[in-house]
Amino acid sequence: MCSCIHALHGHKQGSSQPPQASPHPTTGISSWSVAQKADVGGESAGTSINHSQMLLQRLQELLRQGNASDVVLRVQAAGTDEVRVFHAHRLLLGLHSEQFRELLGNQSEVVLQESRDCAAVFDKFIRYLYCGELTVLLAQAIPLHQLATKYRVASLQRGVADYMRAHLAGGAGPAVGWYHYAVSTGDEALRQSCLQFLAWNLSAVAGSAEWGAVSPELLAQLLPRSDLVLQDELELFQALEAWLGRARPPPVVAERALRAIRYPMIPPAQLFQLQARSAALARHGPAVADLLLQAYQFHAASPLHYAKFFDVNGSAFLPRNYLAPAWGAPWVINNPARDDRSTSFQTQLGPSGHDSGRRVTWNVLFSPRWLPVSLRPVYADAAGTALPLARPEDGRPRLVVTPASSGGDAAGVSFQKTVLVGARHHGRLLVRHAYSFHQSSEEAGDFLAHADLQRRNSEYLVENALHLHLIVKPVYHTLIRTPK
């Protein structure tokens, strides 16, 4: 996958251009394009002559042929005898790069030591300095960003960082490798983008080769998060155990990671199996013995009774975004811009073993063009004057999730609702957006606020269908505390 980065972000590709005449036989200059602006009286207000494309072509030729060059760059790949030679122009290099202005000075030839990856893309880097644009492949993003950082080309730094964040959202970028690179360069925006992608797609990442490259620092950032999207908590434990087997971290790192697992979210039968078969628990069992005891106590009593003696407001008792049927359901809406749809599904009342057989039914309404009251059609004002109707495009997508009934079964429990929006990449359905709202609100106020569901190639659609996964997370509250 590749993208084109331009130095002038305001330039629009594909815009219509006036027809051009043949070049003048003597000067070689093509006929000029004219844009006229007329004032109220019809007189011409001004004429624009645009030869920018011709100038770019001349600059490309200047770089390719090396005509009138005044500096030679010898780029040597580290650890090899390979040297690439570029005949360049001091003025053009210095326009974008203060580092080049300082480096070249009065020298006519310099040797630049670069990593193999950076040396391989140095021709693209130099071309950007001449023409203000380049085409990027995924594997070239980091070396190009490194060159832009080393030679202080701020516009290219921003362009490549934007490219990386955009391709993370689409599932194309290597999130783990880019995360570690962002940490090493201090790019906080890219680091946060990588973390968010990994949290929303942890199931996919944990089953890929990238999982083995996760550092202890990155693992420590991921494990405490409540927005991890997984099949269930057992899947997270198994992924962690696989990572521990490969990474062999120090005991203190392994034990800290094992203590981040939310054992009360794992059913008792699965906890018994883990204690009997898990190599990680066999090695580090004493470090989490108190958490396992807490989980068994939580499953043995009713949540209301347990809450009388223990605090249930901690993260250990809060489900993550589990994809298992007990916590939600997928919903594929074909042709979502067409009309309103509705569905219903059931979830478990809570993660406690005491509530394993109790269900809550949820009704869901999707409307592609819901209008707030202020924009709904009004046919006449107080004086009887007809007013224009609101257009359908004035509305926005709306998703409402409500319980089918309310009763005492939900005492001491509130519900957090999460809606995941999927996007397909290389046959995998990845999470591209997530919206969360609590029991006090029936809908997410910003749901698909920027989506154009009429456009078939919208980033929110997969084969003209909206792929949602609806999740309901019960949150327990301490009602009565018994003095200890």
Side-chain angles (χ1 to χ4, degrees):
M1 182 176 294
C2 64
S3 293
C4 192
I5 293 178
H6 297 266
L8 301 177
H9 299 292
H11 177 71
K12 294 184 180 179
Q13 297 296 315
S15 60
S16 60
Q17 296 291 337
Q20 294 184 345
S22 301
H24 190 281
T26 303
T27 64
I29 299 177
S30 62
S31 64
W32 38 274
S33 60
V34 178
Q36 293 185 325
K37 301 178 181 178
D39 59 14
V40 176
E43 295 182 0
S44 175
T47 299
S48 174
I49 298 176
N50 186 350
H51 291 159
S52 59
Q53 290 300 319
M54 182 191 68
L55 177 60
L56 284 177
Q57 292 173 4
R58 293 289 177 83
L59 290 173
Q60 291 181 51
E61 293 174 5
L62 196 64
L63 174 62
R64 184 170 56 251
Q65 298 173 3
N67 294 337
S69 65
D70 57 358
V71 65
V72 176
L73 304 180
R74 297 186 178 276
V75 180
Q76 182 170 13
T80 72
D81 295 329
E82 178 187 348
V83 176
R84 303 182 71 183
V85 179
F86 298 89
H87 294 272
H89 304 80
R90 184 180 285 104
L91 174 62
L92 291 174
L93 297 182
L95 284 176
H96 279 295
S97 169
E98 179 184 347
Q99 180 71 11
F100 270 127
R101 287 199 298 271
E102 298 173 357
L103 179 65
L104 298 177
N106 295 321
Q107 301 183 73
S108 60
E109 183 172 324
V110 293
V111 177
L112 304 176
Q113 298 286 341
E114 305 293 347
S115 69
R116 294 187 182 185
D117 289 340
C118 288
V121 298
F122 205 88
D123 56 336
K124 290 195 171 191
F125 174 64
I126 289 293
R127 185 182 185 279
Y128 177 86
L129 299 182
Y130 274 71
C131 305
E133 67 176 9
L134 54 76
T135 301
V136 190
L137 299 173
L138 286 173
Q140 298 169 341
I142 286 181
L144 282 170
H145 194 276
Q146 287 174 329
L147 288 172
T149 302
K150 177 178 178 179
Y151 294 102
R152 302 205 291 269
V153 184
S155 58
L156 183 57
Q157 277 184 281
R158 291 191 299 270
V160 176
D162 290 344
Y163 164 88
M164 295 167 82
R165 286 191 291 272
H167 283 73
L168 275 173
V176 173
W178 285 0
Y179 173 86
H180 293 140
Y181 176 71
V183 171
S184 68
T185 59
D187 190 330
E188 182 62 17
L190 178 59
R191 189 185 78 89
Q192 289 295 336
S193 295
C194 292
L195 270 179
Q196 188 63 83
F197 175 84
L198 291 168
W200 286 350
N201 297 281
L202 198 59
S203 281
V205 175
S208 71
E210 276 200 283
W211 187 243
V214 169
S215 66
E217 184 273 336
L218 173 54
L219 190 71
Q221 291 288 319
L222 288 171
L223 290 178
R225 296 178 66 121
S226 295
D227 62 343
L228 300 185
V229 176
L230 300 142
Q231 191 66 22
D232 50 33
E233 193 72 14
L234 180 62
E235 182 184 32
L236 181 59
F237 180 92
Q238 292 169 339
L240 174 58
E241 186 165 42
W243 182 88
L244 292 173
R246 286 194 295 263
R248 300 287 182 182
V252 63
V253 174
E255 292 168 5
R256 187 183 302 118
L258 286 167
R259 290 190 65 83
I261 296 294
R262 301 181 181 182
Y263 296 99
M265 300 299 106
I266 303 177
Q270 294 178 349
L271 286 174
F272 284 132
Q273 292 182 354
L274 289 181
Q275 285 189 287
R277 302 174 184 175
S278 168
L281 289 184
R283 189 177 301 111
H284 304 287
V288 296
D290 59 321
L291 299 181
L292 292 171
L293 174 61
Q294 179 190 60
Y296 286 126
Q297 290 174 327
F298 173 72
H299 287 297
S302 72
L304 288 177
H305 185 72
Y306 184 87
K308 293 180 181 180
F309 302 95
F310 302 100
D311 185 3
V312 292
N313 291 323
S315 61
F317 302 97
L318 177 64
R320 307 183 202 260
N321 290 329
Y322 299 136
L323 301 176
W327 307 115
W331 190 19
V332 179
I333 305 175
N334 293 305
N335 300 314
R338 191 180 63 197
D339 50 29
D340 294 357
R341 317 292 172 85
S342 63
T343 189
S344 62
F345 65 98
Q346 288 190 327
T347 61
Q348 190 171 308
L349 177 62
S352 167
H354 186 270
D355 292 332
S356 60
R358 308 166 87 177
R359 295 287 185 269
V360 179
T361 300
W362 302 91
N363 294 328
V364 189
L365 170 67
F366 171 78
S367 176
R369 290 178 299 275
W370 177 81
L371 290 170
V373 174
S374 60
L375 291 179
R376 289 178 184 174
V378 178
Y379 297 94
D381 62 11
T385 304
L387 297 177
L389 293 176
R391 299 168 301 173
E393 55 266 29
D394 290 331
R396 61 172 177 81
R398 185 191 191 197
L399 189 81
V400 181
V401 182
T402 55
S405 62
S406 58
D409 284 350
V413 181
S414 64
F415 297 95
Q416 178 179 324
K417 302 145 193 173
T418 299
V419 182
L420 307 178
V421 181
R424 191 173 300 280
H425 178 73
H426 292 326
R428 298 185 303 169
L429 194 63
L430 302 174
V431 178
R432 184 149 194 171
H433 303 277
Y435 304 89
S436 295
F437 47 107
H438 292 269
Q439 188 177 36
S440 58
S441 174
E442 296 179 350
E443 61 180 308
D446 60 345
F447 178 68
L448 299 182
H450 305 290
D452 182 2
L453 301 182
Q454 301 280 355
R455 187 164 50 89
R456 294 183 65 88
N457 62 345
S458 169
E459 66 182 66
Y460 296 84
L461 302 180
V462 178
E463 297 174 354
N464 202 33
L466 186 61
H467 285 250
L468 306 179
H469 197 104
L470 311 169
I471 299 173
V472 178
K473 300 196 289 187
V475 181
Y476 289 117
H477 300 286
T478 299
L479 302 181
I480 303 174
R481 292 300 303 273
T482 301
K484 296 182 181 179

